[in-house]
Amino acid sequence: DDPPHAALLDSVTAAAVMEPVGPSLTRHIPLLETASRLARSPHAQLPVIDAAGDSLGVVTARAAADALADGKPDLAEVGIIL
């Protein structure tokens, strides 16, 4: 037997429950700018893409904060935390 919520889940599409990704970052964006963008992101994470638009990963606010605390933030780029 299926659980009671199975019928409900069968009728819901991923598009109905997903949110737009929002802006993407590239690996060469400065960490200070990355932190600023993450502060405006509703989920405290943003995708990182390469020049072709392929995914390289996701950067989180926590990872950016840790990287900023570790060194010279004016020289660092988001690529160091992927």
Side-chain angles (χ1 to χ4, degrees):
D1 286 322
D2 288 333
H5 60 276
L8 175 63
L9 292 176
D10 284 342
S11 67
V12 177
T13 64
V17 296
M18 298 299 292
E19 296 178 18
V21 172
S24 298
L25 305 170
T26 62
R27 71 178 319 123
H28 300 293
I29 292 178
L31 259 179
L32 289 174
E33 182 179 341
T34 298
S36 177
R37 291 184 187 194
L38 284 164
R40 296 186 303 272
S41 171
H43 301 293
Q45 59 186 13
L46 290 171
V48 181
I49 59 172
D50 65 14
D54 294 326
S55 177
L56 297 175
V58 175
V59 64
T60 65
R62 174 65 187 257
D66 288 348
L68 286 168
D70 283 347
K72 299 178 178 154
D74 54 328
L75 302 176
E77 296 177 342
V78 73
I80 68 166
I81 55 177
L82 287 178

